[in-house]
Structure formats: structure tokens, C-alpha cells
């Protein structure tokens, strides 16, 4: 049988993959992300004992799943929540902390999970913390750095010691605001005003700790010149520029018909990444700078006329009666809908885009998906336990089983000319914006271990129904690859399959053992992600 596709791997074209692209995000007051998620006071699944310990109330089962996966970096406290947050509300004895009206998501914030709890959680799971400040008050920002990082004897360091942590935490990554360009943010302002604030914040926060790494607010929809203004004023004081991308799907309404639209949206992400990298590189010139995609996901949207979604005890959404209710347009994000296999293939496509972007002049050096837990996260927690979402296994596959060196992969594959959805961008009718593009059935990320002894090829077959046979070449030779490979695969019978507490392994990473290649070819199953590992010793 003649291969329908070819995959040409070239070891002479390579670059490193930054492990920080596999990062995560936690947002306070956000749909069970913190309270009822990583933090659940009084739950038998949480740490108890001495109420003065910062780790008291942290969910043990969630920590175990995070340790198993490995988290390189986690951003907190948001997100939109950041813009109105005052960190001093969340330190000291919990029963003395103020309960606040929270304006980002319209809830009440107990402040029982604050700086010490987040950093204790980071220590428990073994991850690097990334703290985001509102960039609205220099004094507040400076004192936050003093509280977390300063090693001297001041009122703030004494408070830290009284709160259970005499030694500095040493938080390296600091965000200077969140989506400040948007009128949905408290303290939103012009690029010039924000840039002046960011420059002042960076100067004085670094005066407390010169080792800090700063992430300023970027903007991909840059018709107003936001990026040039910000970099012109603060470019020499920051290390990274952030940007946010969201896909969208109506799979809650349209079911299987949405599959193709879901898996194609990684092409939109890659287009945005490439264009923004080029824009920033053209402005920054020779200054070393990298990008941080510190919010990204695909939204499950539904009509606002449907009853409000509620979390089910099994991990998804409580069943609702929606017959006869309007289905267009769909704008509300269902934060409780479970991640599906189709979502997993989209996530894998984004990782392939991030791998390729690592070789650009301005690379993506960090990415943080929204969210780690509940709220469309890779882990789902309910009062009765926690479960790996379908997308958990994408992180496992890519960060724990691929190599750290990206190799060029030239792919010739069948594809479909289609209208690719431009994320959650809408036209004046409220319908999704699209752009015509050819979506290849196969998308490939080839990697190598640091010692060069193992070649690892991740292949997404986006086709809904058809297996694709691909011929594999290494350095322009079909004979250079061994005839056997270790194989792992992520797939399921149903493209909208998801996991739950009672069915935790419907979508899981399966070890296929050793597989044989015939004539340097392999058949990649439909709607699947396959990892082939070749021993080159």
C-alpha cells in the first residue's frame, strides 16, 4: 500500500523546547479553581491539623495528580481577578482576613487562600510560582516582593515569619498587570499610561530583588500600536511580553459536527504566534525578549437562554432541559463542561505550534493554560475525589515522553480546504469569524533526547474517520530509521469522549509496546495522537 503522507525528519535543523511551555494557571474566585479545587477546607481529602499551617486545606488528591504530571510553572492569582486584588488581604490568620466583594467574577472572596497558601501549594507539588500583580500601586507591589523575597529584618519579613515562613520564598516570575488594555479590567488604561506604570513598577520591584523576571502585557490584536508603545517605554526593563489566545466550540450544541472546527483551531493559534513573534521582533530589535502565552484554552460556548450550568458530582455538568430553547448565537462559556478527545487533539496541535515557535527569533518561552483545575482544566475535582481530564494525558505525553530538542519535520499530508475559526472572535452578527485555509490531516512534532540516542515523533491524525499511512524519512533516508519503535497512543471510540470520576480512563494514554514499521511506514489511526520512539544507539 502506497503511503498517503510522508514525514521527513532533519537532525541538522534543531532548537530547544522550553519546558515552561507546559505551564498552568490558577485564578481565585473562578468556578472551583481554588475553593473546592486545590483548596477545600474541612474536606477529608485535604490536609488538616494545625490551622496555622499554610498547607492546611490543600487537597491531597489534587497534589498527588499534580506531582504525577509535573508542573513547570503556575500563574496566580489570575487573570481578571488580579486587577482588583490586594495581596495583604490574603495573609495572616485566616479567621482575621477580610471577606471582599469580588468584581471580576461577581462573587465574594474569602481570602482564605492567599500568598502563603499558594506558595505552600507550589512547594508541595514542586512547581515554579508566577505571581501577577495589578500594576496599579507601586508601593503595594514593592511590599509584596519584600514579603516574599527579601531576606532582611523588616516589618514585612517579620510578618512572613509569623505566618510560618521565616526564609524568603524567592519568587522569580512577576506579571505586571493583566489585559490592562481592556475595559473589563479595573484600572484599564492606555498603552502609554500602562507603560509608564509598568516601568516604575519594574524599577522599584527590582530594587528589592534584582533577580526578578518581569512579564509585561502584550496584545495580538494590535491595530492601535499597543506593543510598540509598551516596548518603547519598558522594553529594556522586562524579560517577556504576554499575550492571550482562546479557541471556541459549540460542541455542547452541535456535537460531532463541531469536531473539525475544534481540531483546526490550532492553525489559528500558530498563525497568531508567528505574527506576534514577528511584530515583537521587529520592534525589539537586538534586545533579548521572549513571549509568554499566559492564558490559552478552547471555550465550550452555549446559548445564554439555556439554564445556568452546574457542576455534577461525577465531574461534568448536571443534565439540563434545553429542548425548545434558542441555540443561536452561543456566547456563554460553560466552565463546567468536561474536556473531550477533540479538545485533546486541539491541545496537541497547539503544543506542536509552540515547539515550532521555540526556534523563532522571539520564541514563546512560557505558556499557561486556563485552568489547571476545574473551570475547563486538566484536572477535575469534586467533593468525592479528583480525576484526570482527557487533556491531562496530552500534557503527560508531551512533557514527560518527548525529547527536549525539536527537530525539523517536513510533512506532506492529505488535507481539507475549510473555513478555520479564528478562535472566539465574532462578527457583527455574533457569529464566529473564519478564514479559508488548508488543514492537513497529519501534524507532526519530532524531537530528540539530549544525548541524541532516541528520536521521538508525535503525530496527530486529525481525520475524523480515516487512518493515514505515512512514510518516515530521517535525514532524507528511509533506511536511517530502525524498523521497530515503542508506541504510545491517545484516542477513544467517540471524538467527544471525556473522563469522569466513575469512568476515569475513557480517554487515557495507552502503551502499545513495540510496533513494527513496514517499509518505513506506519498507519496512524483516525482522531488520535501517536508517539513513536526510536532507539538510535
Amino acid at each position: 500500500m502506497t503511503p498517503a503522507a510522508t514525514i521527513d525528519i532533519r537532525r541538522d535543523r534543531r532548537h530547544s523546547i522550553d519546558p515552561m511551555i507546559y505551564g498552568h494557571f490558577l485564578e481565585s474566585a473562578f468556578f472551583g479553581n481554588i475553593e473546592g479545587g486545590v483548596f477545600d477546607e474541612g474536606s477529608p481529602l485535604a490536609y488538616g491539623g494545625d490551622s496555622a499551617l499554610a498547607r492546611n486545606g490543600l487537597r491531597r488528591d489534587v497534589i498527588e495528580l499534580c506531582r504525577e504530571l509535573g508542573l513547570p510553572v503556575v500563574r496566580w492569582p489570575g487573570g481578571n481577578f488580579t486587577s482588583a486584588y490586594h495581596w495583604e488581604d490574603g495573609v495572616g490568620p485566616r479567621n482575621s482576613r477580610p471577606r471582599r466583594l469580588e468584581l471580576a467574577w461577581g462573587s465574594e472572596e474569602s481570602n482564605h487562600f492567599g500568598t502563603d497558601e499558594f506558595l505552600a501549594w507550589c512547594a508541595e507539588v514542586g512547581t515554579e510560582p508566577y505571581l501577577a500583580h495589578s500594576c496599579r500601586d507601586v508601593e503595594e507591589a514593592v511590599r509584596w516582593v519584600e514579603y516574599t523575597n527579601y531576606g532582611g529584618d523588616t516589618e514585612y519579613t517579620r510578618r512572613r515569619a509569623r505566618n510560618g515562613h521565616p526564609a524568603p520564598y524567592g519568587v522569580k516570575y512577576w506579571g505586571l498587570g493583566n489585559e490592562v488594555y481592556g475595559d473589563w479590567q479595573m484600572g484599564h488604561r492606555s498603552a502609554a499610561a500602562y507603560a509608564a506604570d509598568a516601568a516604575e513598577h519594574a524599577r522599584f520591584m527590582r530594587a528589592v530583588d534584582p533577580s526578578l523576571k518581569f512579564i509585561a502585557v502584550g496584545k495580538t490584536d494590535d491595530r492601535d500600536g499597543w506593543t510598540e508603545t509598551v516596548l518603547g517605554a519598558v522594553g529594556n526593563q522586562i524579560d517577556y511580553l504576554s499575550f492571550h489566545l482562546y479557541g471556541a466550540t459549540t460542541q455542547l450544541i452541535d456535537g460531532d459536527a463541531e469536531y473539525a472546527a475544534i481540531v483546526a483551531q490550532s492553525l489559528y493559534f500558530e498563525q497568531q504566534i508567528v505574527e506576534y513573534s514577528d511584530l515583537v521582533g521587529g520592534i525589539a530589535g537586538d534586545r533579548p525578549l521572549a513571549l509568554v502565552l499566559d492564558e490559552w484554552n478552547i471555550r465550550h460556548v452555549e446559548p445564554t437562554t439555556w439554564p445556568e450550568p452546574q457542576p455534577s458530582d461525577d465531574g461534568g455538568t448536571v443534565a439540563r432541559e434545553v429542548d425548545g430553547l434558542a441555540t443561536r448565537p452561543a456566547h456563554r462559556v460553560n466552565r463546567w463542561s468536561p474536556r473531550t478527545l477533540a479538545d485533546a487533539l486541539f491541545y496537541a496541535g497547539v503544543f506542536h505550534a509552540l515547539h515550532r515557535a521555540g526556534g523563532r527569533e522571539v520564541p514563546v518561552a512560557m505558556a499557561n493554560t486556563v485552568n489547571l483545575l476545574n473551570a475547563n482544566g486538566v484536572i477535575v475535582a469534586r467533593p468525592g475525589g479528583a480525576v484526570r481530564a482527557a487533556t491531562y494525558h496530552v500534557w503527560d505525553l508531551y512533557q514527560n515522553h518527548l525529547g527536549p530538542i525539536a527537530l525539523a519535520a517536513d510533512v506532506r499530508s492529505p488535507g481539507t480546504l475549510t473555513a478555520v475559526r479564528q478562535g472566539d472572535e465574532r462578527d457583527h452578527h455574533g457569529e464566529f469569524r473564519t478564514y479559508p485555509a488548508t488543514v492537513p490531516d497529519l501534524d507532526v512534532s519530532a524531537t530528540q533526547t539530549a544525548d541524541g540516542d532516541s528520536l521521538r515523533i508525535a503525530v496527530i491524525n486529525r481525520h475524523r474517520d480515516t487512518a493515514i499511512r505515512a512514510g518516515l524519512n530521517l535525514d532524507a533516508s528511509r533506511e536511517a530509521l530502525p524498523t521497530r519503535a515503542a508506541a504510545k497512543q491517545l484516542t477513544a471510540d467517540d471524538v467527544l469522549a471525556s473522563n469522569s470520576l466513575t469512568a476515569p480512563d475513557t480517554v487515557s494514554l495507552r502503551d502499545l509496546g513495540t510496533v513494527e514499521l513496514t517499509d518505513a511506514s506506519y498507519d496512524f489511526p483516525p482522531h488520535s495522537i501517536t508517539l513513536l520512539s526510536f532507539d538510535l544507539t
Side-chain angles (χ1 to χ4, degrees):
M1 177 179 176
T2 302
T6 58
I7 301 169
D8 294 312
I9 310 301
R10 294 292 300 269
R11 285 182 288 187
D12 60 343
R13 291 154 53 197
R14 64 176 66 197
H15 59 265
S16 62
I17 296 173
D18 197 315
M20 301 293 267
I21 66 168
Y22 302 118
H24 298 273
F25 174 103
L26 290 172
E27 179 152 18
S28 293
F30 191 79
F31 298 89
N33 201 216
I34 300 293
E35 297 198 10
V38 300
F39 182 71
D40 203 355
E41 288 180 293
S43 167
L45 298 172
Y47 287 119
D50 187 346
S51 61
L53 292 176
R55 79 170 194 168
N56 183 54
L58 302 180
R59 282 276 293 261
R60 298 188 310 274
D61 54 345
V62 170
I63 288 171
E64 289 167 3
L65 289 178
C66 291
R67 287 172 177 167
E68 174 189 308
L69 182 60
L71 311 181
V73 62
V74 178
R75 180 186 182 211
W76 176 85
N80 292 352
F81 181 87
T82 298
S83 294
Y85 182 60
H86 297 288
W87 71 269
E88 290 192 62
D89 287 347
V91 297
R94 286 182 192 163
N95 58 6
S96 299
R97 299 179 193 178
R99 186 175 184 87
R100 302 286 192 194
L101 173 62
E102 190 281 312
L103 298 178
W105 302 108
S107 62
E108 294 181 3
E109 171 57 37
S110 73
N111 283 302
H112 283 193
F113 186 93
T115 300
D116 293 298
E117 285 76 19
F118 173 64
L119 296 177
W121 181 84
C122 288
E124 290 287 337
V125 302
T127 191
E128 189 86 32
Y130 161 14
L131 292 178
H133 185 262
S134 66
C135 203
R136 294 172 55 218
D137 186 326
V138 177
E139 174 73 16
E140 180 184 61
V142 164
R143 299 310 165 199
W144 202 6
V145 178
E146 181 181 354
Y147 182 85
T148 59
N149 286 19
Y150 186 57
D153 181 18
T154 68
E155 171 57 25
Y156 281 94
T157 63
R158 291 173 187 173
R159 286 176 66 182
R160 184 183 69 220
R162 289 196 300 270
N163 294 335
H165 207 277
Y169 285 109
V171 178
K172 180 191 301 184
Y173 297 100
W174 291 79
L176 301 174
N178 177 77
E179 297 180 357
V180 182
Y181 47 76
D183 61 8
W184 55 89
Q185 300 292 321
M186 181 180 288
H188 78 279
R189 66 213 96 148
S190 69
Y194 166 70
D197 289 341
E200 186 180 22
H201 276 68
R203 175 186 174 190
F204 288 102
M205 291 168 75
R206 196 166 268 145
V208 181
D209 184 350
S211 70
L212 301 186
K213 300 290 186 182
F214 289 117
I215 301 161
V217 174
K219 182 184 181 187
T220 53
D221 181 12
D222 203 21
R223 288 166 288 188
D224 56 0
W226 174 277
T227 301
E228 185 170 10
T229 301
V230 170
L231 288 181
V234 77
N236 290 326
Q237 296 174 268
I238 63 172
D239 304 277
Y240 309 94
L241 198 63
S242 75
F243 66 114
H244 298 166
L245 292 173
Y246 287 94
T249 170
T250 59
Q251 62 183 276
L252 298 171
I253 307 169
D254 301 316
D256 286 1
E258 271 288 281
Y259 171 78
I262 295 167
V263 298
Q265 284 180 73
S266 62
L267 275 71
Y268 163 72
F269 273 52
E270 187 153 15
Q271 172 200 358
Q272 293 292 300
I273 290 167
V274 168
E275 290 181 358
Y276 201 54
S277 173
D278 286 347
L279 175 66
V280 173
I283 297 169
D286 295 332
R287 286 175 291 180
L289 202 63
L291 300 179
V292 171
L293 178 57
D294 56 7
E295 287 190 29
W296 71 277
N297 208 325
I298 186 165
R299 291 166 168 158
H300 292 188
V301 294
E302 64 183 29
T304 55
T305 51
W306 284 13
E308 282 279 351
Q310 299 297 326
S312 71
D313 289 341
D314 199 32
T317 306
V318 174
R320 296 168 288 172
E321 180 57 56
V322 298
D323 288 346
L325 298 178
T327 59
R328 292 292 186 276
H331 283 292
R332 183 173 64 206
V333 182
N334 185 328
R335 309 287 184 180
W336 300 107
S337 61
R339 303 286 93 177
T340 66
L341 175 67
D343 296 327
L345 269 63
F346 159 79
Y347 281 69
V350 174
F351 281 134
H352 287 199
L354 292 172
H355 293 173
R356 290 187 281 264
R360 303 188 63 80
E361 180 183 3
V362 179
V364 178
M366 183 194 298
N368 310 78
T369 189
V370 179
N371 280 279
L372 171 66
L373 189 82
N374 292 332
N376 313 140
V378 299
I379 297 171
V380 176
R382 295 292 188 265
V387 65
R388 302 168 189 84
T391 47
Y392 179 101
H393 301 289
V394 180
W395 264 258
D396 181 21
L397 181 68
Y398 282 86
Q399 75 178 44
N400 296 326
H401 298 286
L402 265 68
I405 308 298
L407 305 176
D410 297 326
V411 182
R412 290 177 292 280
S413 163
T416 303
L417 179 63
T418 188
V420 174
R421 191 171 294 163
Q422 304 295 284
D424 200 9
E425 296 296 317
R426 310 293 183 115
D427 63 19
H428 65 283
H429 296 295
E431 299 298 330
F432 293 118
R433 294 187 184 276
T434 61
Y435 190 84
T438 298
V439 180
D441 291 335
L442 298 189
D443 192 344
V444 178
S445 179
T447 66
Q448 184 175 276
T449 54
D451 58 14
D453 289 345
S454 179
L455 174 68
R456 305 190 178 175
I457 305 173
V459 180
I460 306 166
N461 181 359
R462 296 187 176 104
H463 200 286
R464 172 70 176 79
D465 304 306
T466 303
I468 306 288
R469 172 165 288 193
L472 284 76
N473 301 323
L474 177 61
D475 300 330
S477 171
R478 297 195 71 182
E479 288 73 41
L481 279 176
T483 59
R484 307 176 75 189
K488 298 182 186 297
Q489 201 165 87
L490 185 67
T491 190
D493 293 337
D494 181 358
V495 295
L496 298 184
S498 62
N499 294 338
S500 64
L501 269 68
T502 54
D505 298 317
T506 303
V507 182
S508 62
L509 188 60
R510 296 180 173 91
D511 191 337
L512 304 183
T514 301
V515 297
E516 299 282 345
L517 275 69
T518 302
D519 296 327
S521 298
Y522 189 80
D523 294 334
F524 296 97
H527 56 266
S528 69
I529 310 165
T530 303
L531 174 65
L532 298 178
S533 298
F534 296 90
D535 184 355
L536 301 182
T537 58

